[in-house]
Amino acid sequence: MTETIDQPLAWHSGNILPLKDLSVSAGDSALEHGLGLFESMRSEKGQVPLLSRHLDRMTRSALELGLKLNSSQLPDIVAITELVDRCRLASGSGRLRMVLTGGCRGESGKIWVTANSLDRIDCDNLKLSSDFWPVDERDDLVRFKTLNYWLRRRAFERATAGGFHEIISVDSNGYLWEGSRTAIFLVKNDQILSPPTDGPMLASIAAEVVRELALEMDMPTVCKHLRIDDLMAADEVIMTNALRGILSVGKFGEFSYSTPGNVTKALRKCWKNKYF
């Protein structure tokens, strides 16, 4: 079969095949109950610098949630590099999505990876919704990238419908945790603040990277419960994820921030030097 640039491809079980040829059983728990996991990764000029972290998170998440996953099912860097090349993304930026379904009757689920070009990214002067989306601090599932993504997706769509780039979650105690698609950091008096890492938010790879970079810059992140007052008083508001890197918020309601501020610029330079 002749491949064209318009034909979506997928990696599955050691092979690269047309995405339309990949099938999932109607009895798979991904379709019955929305069970499964996914990872969104970035490729840059043929490289996927955070691949090992994404593979580790999927493996850990599957173990914690009781999903059957044989590590031999996972793609390695050779497979991912070939997929990126076959999808004509070796010279640009790509969005990779790795999916693990819940499986059928105790059997391991299916794993596949797709690759598409990454759209243009707005990095600075982002507008943050003055509304919030509710999160239950008792819900452990918010820490995982599950296929049941409705809560985050509806929050994001509500924000974008209002002309905003992102919206932050808040729990019943009034604590702020994360964006619908991003981790959040505040900068106040050159100090980097973030929510406690064990809270009701995604175990974010990008946030982990930011904390490591901050240490290298001799600016260790201070984890504390953040409230709306902290957000309003911040000098800089940084949002980040593994596809877009480090983003800078310019507006939250009536409040404006440096975009990008000095700390954001320094973190972004370190990120770019190490990743993309």
Side-chain angles (χ1 to χ4, degrees), residues 136-175:
D136 186 344
E137 59 270 22
R138 301 164 299 180
D139 184 6
D140 290 338
L141 283 178
V142 297
R143 296 186 57 78
F144 302 94
K145 294 207 74 162
T146 70
L147 294 182
N148 186 353
Y149 210 65
W150 276 94
L151 182 62
R152 296 173 185 276
R153 178 166 178 163
R154 292 185 70 187
F156 180 76
E157 290 175 349
R158 189 170 82 244
T160 55
F164 302 101
H165 294 90
E166 185 55 294
I167 183 171
I168 297 177
S169 66
V170 62
D171 69 14
S172 62
N173 297 305
Y175 297 143

Side-chain angles (χ1 to χ4, degrees), residues 30-242:
L31 299 180
E32 287 192 325
H33 303 294
L35 303 188
L37 298 164
F38 77 98
E39 293 285 336
S40 295
M41 304 170 281
R42 177 165 171 168
S43 66
E44 191 66 30
K45 297 181 179 177
Q47 304 298 310
V48 188
L50 296 175
L51 175 62
S52 62
R53 298 187 192 231
H54 287 284
L55 293 172
D56 287 346
R57 183 169 66 179
M58 177 167 278
T59 301
R60 292 195 312 270
S61 297
L63 179 63
E64 291 185 46
L65 294 175
L67 296 180
K68 288 187 175 294
L69 171 62
N70 186 327
S71 59
S72 65
Q73 294 177 273
L74 294 170
D76 58 17
I77 186 60
V78 175
I80 294 297
T81 301
E82 182 183 359
L83 176 64
V84 168
D85 184 60
R86 294 272 291 275
C87 291
R88 318 280 179 86
L89 298 172
S91 60
S93 302
R95 175 198 297 265
L96 279 68
R97 180 181 171 93
M98 178 168 59
V99 176
L100 167 67
T101 69
C104 302
R105 298 183 181 275
E107 296 180 359
S108 297
K110 283 196 171 183
I111 295 179
W112 68 87
V113 184
T114 56
N116 299 281
S117 61
L118 186 63
D119 296 336
R120 186 185 69 83
I121 297 168
D122 291 322
C123 293
D124 296 317
N125 204 30
L126 303 188
K127 291 188 290 184
L128 193 59
S129 173
S130 53
D131 193 8
F132 297 89
W133 58 281
V135 64
D136 186 344
E137 59 270 22
R138 301 164 299 180
D139 184 6
D140 290 338
L141 283 178
V142 297
R143 296 186 57 78
F144 302 94
K145 294 207 74 162
T146 70
L147 294 182
N148 186 353
Y149 210 65
W150 276 94
L151 182 62
R152 296 173 185 276
R153 178 166 178 163
R154 292 185 70 187
F156 180 76
E157 290 175 349
R158 189 170 82 244
T160 55
F164 302 101
H165 294 90
E166 185 55 294
I167 183 171
I168 297 177
S169 66
V170 62
D171 69 14
S172 62
N173 297 305
Y175 297 143
L176 309 181
W177 292 102
E178 61 180 342
S180 63
R181 298 187 176 190
T182 55
I184 182 170
F185 293 86
L186 306 182
V187 179
K188 183 64 178 177
N189 298 327
D190 291 328
Q191 187 176 59
I192 303 174
L193 310 175
S194 76
T197 58
D198 60 351
M201 61 182 180
L202 179 67
S204 167
I205 289 172
E208 179 182 69
V209 169
V210 167
R211 287 190 290 269
E212 291 173 3
L213 296 178
L215 275 176
E216 293 176 14
M217 293 165 48
D218 269 340
M219 295 182 65
T221 304
V222 175
C223 292
K224 58 170 286 188
H225 285 117
L226 302 176
R227 293 183 178 273
I228 297 176
D229 287 347
D230 297 303
L231 177 61
M232 294 188 297
D235 300 321
E236 302 175 44
V237 178
I238 300 169
M239 309 198 88
T240 181
N241 69 24

